[in-house]
Amino acid sequence: MSHFLHQLGLSAPLFLLVFAGYALVRLGGWTKAVSDALSRFVFSVAMPAMLFHLMSDFSRLPPVDARLLIAFFGSCMVVFAIGRVVAWRLFRLDGVSQSVFALGGVFSNNVMLGLPIARLMLGEAAVPSVALVLVFNSLTLWTLVTVSVEWARHGQFSVQGFAKTVRGVLTNPLIVAILSGTLFGLVGLPLPAFVGATLGMVSDTAAPMALIALGMGLAQYSVRAGIRMAGAISAIKLVVQPLVVWLIALALGLPAMETQVVVLLASISVGVNVYMMALQFKVLEAEVAGSLVLSTLFSAVTTPVLMALTMR
């Protein structure tokens, strides 16, 4: 219990910032335009600055056991299959809807929520492990669901669709910042003091602004429509995936830090990219939107519980 209360105390300020952003829209009347502008700044400037600043010290950062990718993405494959079966058997969904439903069970909000929580709960030593997952996350999971949807629609995979996914990932500001920061760090040259100070100031704003922007974004969605399906997606995301990734990490014998990182990232709420996928394919929009809100709300408790268990 003491472990749980400690982790809950660490994460509480982060989730309070999310709820503050939610309140600004629902109670304060802040508009969608403000929310979109803040999200754009966080995604395009603040988070990339933070990641570049951290990864530019790559030579001083602790080494990462790359097997964490097997644990994390192995769990994604297993849970994606579980999600499709649940969507088929329990909700009688078609192939495209099954794919989007299953994606909700594996695609975490790791940029706006996972990275800030990892830095707070596990410290700066966790950042290289988180960054490694982030580099492959979008490419792997968008490819997975694209293959699944294309197969459901046409019985084959589109190479053109895969190429578009790769281009999108390689032009993502976060991925560019991680890769360029890592390369700079490998060269071993120190950042000029004034550049480091500037990046540091912007980096300090990244986490709180990301969490407020997340809350403002969540205020645009409702949990009333499709609550049963939204609850099922949330349960798979917050309980099934972290347990599966934990089992795989234990089977691989991952070090404690890498194990804690992958369990934490797997325990984070449903990512907004799943909603974008639902909009793209015009399926389960209301249900996925509801899962964003529900999973964020309940992860305020489930994530500290899982972190307490992995640190015992």
Side-chain angles (χ1 to χ4, degrees), residues 149-225:
V149 167
E150 290 291 329
W151 196 267
R153 284 180 165 177
H154 312 296
Q156 60 184 356
F157 171 56
S158 168
V159 176
Q160 183 179 3
F162 176 73
K164 184 178 179 181
T165 300
V166 172
R167 285 196 302 271
V169 170
L170 293 180
T171 56
N172 184 305
L174 301 171
I175 305 305
V176 172
I178 291 170
L179 296 179
S180 59
T182 301
L183 289 174
F184 190 92
L186 288 174
V187 172
L189 294 175
L191 284 172
F194 70 94
V195 175
T198 303
L199 288 174
M201 287 189 288
V202 177
S203 299
D204 289 341
T205 70
M209 284 199 300
L211 296 169
I212 291 171
L214 171 61
M216 294 176 72
L218 291 175
Q220 301 170 29
Y221 308 126
S222 171
V223 298
R224 294 178 183 175

Side-chain angles (χ1 to χ4, degrees), residues 83-94:
R84 287 208 56 160
V85 171
V86 170
W88 168 50
R89 300 289 293 178
L90 188 60
F91 297 106
R92 303 298 179 184
L93 299 179
D94 61 25

Side-chain angles (χ1 to χ4, degrees), residues 1 77 95 118 126 178 181 204 229-230 245 265 267 289 311:
M1 180 60 73
M77 302 299 175
I178 291 170
D204 289 341
M229 201 176 298
V245 77
L265 295 180
S267 76
M311 293 178 179

Side-chain angles (χ1 to χ4, degrees), residues 43 47-58 61 110-111 115 127-138 169-186:
F43 184 77
M47 280 292 186
M50 182 186 72
L51 289 166
F52 181 89
H53 192 214
L54 290 169
M55 299 309 294
S56 65
D57 280 334
F58 185 80
L61 294 174
N110 280 332
V111 175
L115 182 55
V127 171
S129 297
V130 176
L132 188 59
V133 171
L134 289 179
V135 167
F136 291 95
N137 192 59
S138 293
V169 170
L170 293 180
T171 56
N172 184 305
L174 301 171
I175 305 305
V176 172
I178 291 170
L179 296 179
S180 59
T182 301
L183 289 174
F184 190 92
L186 288 174

Side-chain angles (χ1 to χ4, degrees), residues 60-98:
R60 304 181 199 175
L61 294 174
V64 176
D65 190 327
R67 292 179 300 163
L68 68 84
L69 295 176
I70 299 175
F72 187 82
F73 293 109
S75 79
C76 290
M77 302 299 175
V78 172
V79 177
F80 188 85
I82 292 172
R84 287 208 56 160
V85 171
V86 170
W88 168 50
R89 300 289 293 178
L90 188 60
F91 297 106
R92 303 298 179 184
L93 299 179
D94 61 25
V96 176
S97 297
Q98 288 173 28

Side-chain angles (χ1 to χ4, degrees), residues 2-22:
S2 61
H3 286 285
F4 165 67
L5 293 176
H6 176 67
Q7 297 302 321
L8 185 62
L10 287 176
S11 63
L14 303 180
F15 286 100
L16 283 175
L17 287 173
V18 175
F19 298 140
Y22 189 90

Side-chain angles (χ1 to χ4, degrees), residues 243-254:
L243 291 179
V244 171
V245 77
W246 195 4
L247 289 173
I248 296 175
L250 291 174
L252 292 173
L254 279 184

